[in-house]
Amino acid sequence: MNDDLKGAGPGAPDADGDAERNDFIRAFVREDLAAGRNDGRVHTRFPPEPNGYLHIGHAKAIMINWTLSQEFGGKFNLRFDDTNPEKEDVEYVESIKTDVRWLGADWEDREFHASDYFDQLYAWAQHLVREGKAYVCSLDEEQIREWRGTVTEAGKASPDRERPAAESLDLLERMRKGEFSEGKYTLRAKIDMAHPNMKMRDPLLYRIRRVPHHRTGDKWNIYPMYDFAHGQSDAIEGITHSLCSLEFEVHRPLYEWFIENLPVPYKPRQIEFARLKLTYTVMSKRKLLQLVKNNHVAGWDDPRMPTLSGLRRLGYTPTAIRRFAERVGVAKRDSTVDLDLLKWSIREELNREAPRVMAVLRPLKLVITNYPEGQVENITCENNPEDPNAGTREVPFTRELYIEQDDFREDAPRKYFRLKPGGEVRLKHAYLVKCEDVVKDAAGNVVEVRCTYDPESHGGSSPDGRKVQGTLQWVSAAHAARVEVRLYDNLFRVPFPEEGGADFLENLNPDSLEVITDALVEPGLGQVAPGYRCQFMRLGYFFADPVDSKPGAPVFNRTATLKDSWAKLEAGGKPE
RNA sequence: UGGGGCGUCGUCAAGCGGUAAGACACAAGGUUUUGGUCCUUGCAUUCGCGGGUUCGAAUCCUGCCGCCCCAACCA
């Protein structure tokens, strides 16, 4: 279970016994295969820009590309779209590789960078100029915008549109050498200033940026724009199906224009699908960056973040994320998936895999008055009712225990079947105990419940078959380990943090994190290694934080709660 | 008002002319030493709306309505 950073391993899309998937992308691929295109190859790629950490939305894209390549016996590349050095950084490159590997997508030795192709791209730019299909433009940023026209009005030609090729070539070369300041010139394709698709109105190919690049250093003073770099990079790598999100649909004609007008070695096909959106969070890298920069969270890997590093730290597994991506499907419809589906994906796995242990978050002392003082009994506890092979463990039981404050109520509603005065409950795996008395502090708060136990109920059985409705987890006061527990909840308090043009920061959930520094857990848990996953019985699934846990002092992050139908009942006002 | 997309259950999503899969959510029962899990059952006579074609349409045609994307020297 401790696969925190080892990754899922190359692997196969989770064999789920599912029928063959047949979304519209796979249909296209089958069509291409049937038509004998691409020599029967299928080659995809995941092309992140290294300007932020990957999030769950990227996981969807990664899995679509990766599983597609695997299902058709093809290949999968990782390519960094690093054409904008101002925003990019090696820190991001490293985190991205870690995350993609963790998910189990294997690019083998095919880690590429658009920057690997800068020389080729430059040569192709010169080619277009020579062909009279590109020119160096001297309009400034604002002029370019104005001259481009609007969606309903045609744009007008740049005064440099007919600049002789030789002159453009010379200017381009000088741009490259760094003879001009940023913004002085741009290289533009000569297409159609009246084109109904704005992207086709003489788009920029290169802009001057006199900043060093994290990989090419100060070699370049000009950098290619996304449109000029992306498709050609696909072509160079022999990508057969270039998958991207819906907003690039309007770029497709441009993508194809370059492919048609350049002597590229291959003609890839761009296919667009809807990106993933989730309720109760935000997904844009810009907004996530803002959360990090303004310290609304502790970093890109804060467990409340929808980043893969955040989810990993929360306790999610690669498998759960993969299953989630499968369930979400692929289509072209803008959609927002219910966060519950993600949560369900991790619960499903952990219910099957996670060992059950006992922990008390908010301790309330329980004394068994008829239990011998000083006696310690080792209670055999089943590790996982869902897994017969999980075995058992021994947990010490004594006269003084702690139970959850929530599990005792002096004035209990009718359907409350936990501990109450005069009531009897089962202490999981141990004995039946009956509440005889309570001890209160000066303020009238119950600080101790005094019970008697039934010695005949060893193991928690009911000796005479009497009905005992409640079963509580417990820890021995003398043996319990004290640990820090972090209870994470949704980052936002509303499903759509930006609905109605709202400032998403206004909708942050003030209770997204509750830190409990003195939770009590059964003794063995105090020595658990970082990355350990378990279920705190009746409370939820927990993960020993890989960053803040120390030897002998694990910090537990709540990965997910358990479904709580009592809470729902009570909230619904029906318990009485 | 130009161009490109999309509209099937609360949320995703199958369906591609033969009479609405599945998942999550929700609801009701059952099992249960986790008010967890599991099991059973229910949950779109209807596919944005209106016409048309057809023996038959969510699937074809047509008109309308709604939502998203495009006027960064971002990707």
Side-chain angles (χ1 to χ4, degrees):
Chain A
M1 292 292 293
N2 300 335
D3 54 359
D4 40 296
L5 272 186
K6 292 201 298 281
D14 298 289
D16 197 25
D18 286 356
E20 188 173 61
R21 275 174 295 206
N22 194 21
D23 49 71
F24 78 101
I25 295 177
R26 275 166 247 259
F28 281 152
V29 171
R30 291 203 180 88
E31 207 176 278
D32 287 343
L33 254 21
R37 289 190 271 268
N38 308 318
D39 304 318
R41 293 186 310 116
V42 172
H43 198 152
T44 60
R45 100 269 92 115
F46 174 59
E49 182 190 9
N51 67 342
Y53 281 59
L54 260 27
H55 53 62
I56 183 76
H58 294 112
K60 169 181 176 178
I62 292 166
M63 293 317 294
I64 288 170
N65 279 291
W66 165 245
T67 58
L68 191 69
S69 72
Q70 295 308 289
E71 282 167 30
F72 292 92
K75 291 178 177 173
F76 167 82
N77 293 2
L78 174 61
R79 182 175 69 238
F80 292 93
D81 235 331
D82 54 355
T83 57
N84 183 4
E86 290 181 311
K87 294 183 177 174
E88 298 156 6
D89 193 275
V90 284
E91 174 197 354
Y92 299 129
V93 171
E94 292 311 311
S95 74
I96 288 168
K97 286 160 69 174
T98 298
D99 291 344
V100 177
R101 199 178 289 125
W102 180 67
L103 275 182
D106 185 7
W107 61 89
E108 300 178 271
D109 59 350
R110 293 180 305 281
E111 173 190 334
F112 299 122
H113 301 252
S115 54
D116 294 339
Y117 314 133
F118 280 176
D119 286 315
Q120 176 63 264
L121 257 12
Y122 184 74
W124 278 336
Q126 291 175 312
H127 173 86
L128 286 179
V129 174
R130 280 187 225 104
E131 298 275 302
K133 292 172 180 168
Y135 59 94
V136 169
C137 178
S138 61
L139 256 25
D140 66 27
E141 195 166 354
E142 197 183 325
Q143 290 171 318
I144 287 179
R145 192 181 321 124
E146 284 170 5
W147 294 43
R148 188 145 40 208
T150 69
V151 292
T152 51
E153 304 161 63
K156 54 182 177 180
S158 159
D160 303 318
R161 203 163 195 263
E162 300 309 325
R163 190 193 295 280
E167 196 179 311
S168 280
L169 241 21
D170 174 62
L171 250 17
L172 177 59
E173 184 62 10
R174 291 164 64 195
M175 284 163 66
R176 182 184 70 75
K177 287 179 175 163
E179 290 185 23
F180 308 116
S181 56
E182 293 190 5
K184 176 78 175 162
Y185 289 111
T186 56
L187 181 71
R188 304 178 67 178
K190 191 192 290 184
I191 304 181
D192 179 0
M193 287 308 291
H195 199 109
N197 180 341
M198 300 293 289
K199 294 292 176 198
M200 298 298 269
R201 318 244 267 226
D202 288 14
L204 271 59
L205 270 40
Y206 273 94
R207 74 288 215 190
I208 299 172
R209 277 291 171 280
R210 307 190 56 172
V211 295
H213 183 281
H214 67 96
R215 296 194 88 239
T216 60
D218 53 13
K219 177 176 176 184
W220 298 88
N221 292 293
I222 56 173
Y223 292 93
M225 298 291 289
Y226 164 84
D227 288 302
F228 191 64
H230 198 88
Q232 283 76 280
S233 298
D234 284 338
I236 291 170
E237 294 175 21
I239 298 301
T240 56
H241 301 271
S242 180
L243 312 183
C244 62
S245 43
L246 252 28
E247 67 268 30
F248 290 99
E249 214 147 17
V250 292
H251 294 241
R252 196 183 337 134
L254 222 204
Y255 183 103
E256 288 165 355
W257 190 89
F258 287 128
I259 295 298
E260 291 305 322
N261 287 281
L262 254 15
V264 294
Y266 204 76
K267 296 187 189 307
R269 170 180 187 181
Q270 175 178 305
I271 302 172
E272 312 83 13
F273 63 89
R275 64 196 316 163
L276 174 73
K277 283 194 294 188
L278 263 188
T279 55
Y280 294 99
T281 192
V282 292
M283 211 67 97
S284 91
K285 279 196 264 190
R286 202 200 99 238
K287 296 192 181 83
L288 295 177
L289 214 209
Q290 200 176 337
L291 290 170
V292 172
K293 287 270 195 278
N294 298 345
N295 298 312
H296 291 109
V297 295
W300 284 100
D301 69 343
D302 184 296
R304 291 167 292 187
M305 292 282 272
T307 52
L308 293 178
S309 50
L311 288 165
R312 178 164 63 234
R313 228 183 132 178
L314 222 207
Y316 273 71
T317 62
T319 307
I321 290 173
R322 281 194 234 111
R323 294 282 291 121
F324 170 71
E326 279 169 27
R327 287 193 173 95
V328 158
V330 197
K332 297 194 67 161
R333 194 185 322 177
D334 286 310
S335 59
T336 303
V337 172
D338 195 329
L339 216 211
D340 279 340
L341 186 61
L342 211 214
K343 293 183 177 180
W344 190 81
S345 296
I346 186 62
R347 284 198 192 104
E348 178 197 38
E349 178 180 356
L350 263 19
N351 172 56
R352 204 172 53 234
E353 313 275 348
R356 272 59 170 175
V357 297
M358 295 194 284
V360 173
L361 267 23
R362 299 170 185 85
L364 171 63
K365 181 172 265 189
L366 182 152
V367 177
I368 303 172
T369 56
N370 62 338
Y371 194 87
E373 286 198 45
Q375 178 170 314
V376 179
E377 199 174 339
N378 282 317
I379 303 287
T380 299
C381 302
E382 150 186 69
N383 286 328
N384 185 350
E386 302 296 319
D387 177 8
N389 299 317
T392 60
R393 70 188 183 288
E394 308 268 280
V395 177
F397 183 87
T398 56
R399 186 174 193 268
E400 298 198 355
L401 310 170
Y402 282 104
I403 61 168
E404 203 66 56
Q405 283 173 21
D406 264 0
D407 288 338
F408 175 81
R409 210 98 127 208
E410 195 172 16
D411 292 307
R414 183 155 189 77
K415 292 175 104 172
Y416 181 88
F417 43 86
R418 275 115 95 147
L419 199 57
K420 53 195 165 195
E424 185 173 44
V425 297
R426 170 172 25 247
L427 292 179
K428 180 76 181 176
H429 298 308
Y431 292 100
L432 302 186
V433 296
K434 186 174 181 184
C435 175
E436 307 286 359
D437 196 10
V438 299
V439 178
K440 297 184 180 179
D441 63 12
N445 302 309
V446 174
V447 294
E448 181 181 316
V449 292
R450 299 182 72 80
C451 300
T452 51
Y453 84 117
D454 178 352
E456 301 302 308
S457 63
H458 185 82
S461 62
S462 177
D464 52 4
R466 83 182 96 109
K467 276 285 181 218
V468 177
Q469 289 192 106
T471 298
L472 315 183
Q473 83 279 14
W474 49 271
V475 293
S476 164
H479 300 83
R482 189 176 300 269
V483 300
E484 177 172 331
V485 173
R486 296 171 184 173
L487 304 178
Y488 289 104
D489 198 354
N490 299 343
L491 223 203
F492 293 91
R493 57 187 173 185
V494 295
F496 301 94
E498 304 161 274
E499 194 172 39
D503 173 3
F504 71 109
L505 295 175
E506 296 293 313
N507 284 317
L508 278 166
N509 175 8
D511 304 316
S512 59
L513 169 61
E514 179 181 359
V515 178
I516 292 180
T517 55
D518 51 1
L520 296 174
V521 297
E522 56 180 68
L525 271 191
Q527 302 304 319
V528 123
Y532 178 80
R533 287 190 180 81
C534 59
Q535 180 195 104
F536 283 1
M537 196 158 277
R538 304 210 302 136
L539 297 173
Y541 296 101
F542 289 78
F543 178 64
D545 190 290
V547 177
D548 294 333
S549 292
K550 299 282 179 292
V555 171
F556 289 97
N557 296 334
R558 183 173 67 194
T559 307
T561 57
L562 255 29
K563 185 171 156 192
D564 188 347
S565 50
W566 162 246
K568 192 180 291 180
L569 221 203
E570 198 170 34
K574 295 187 292 183
E576 205 77 37

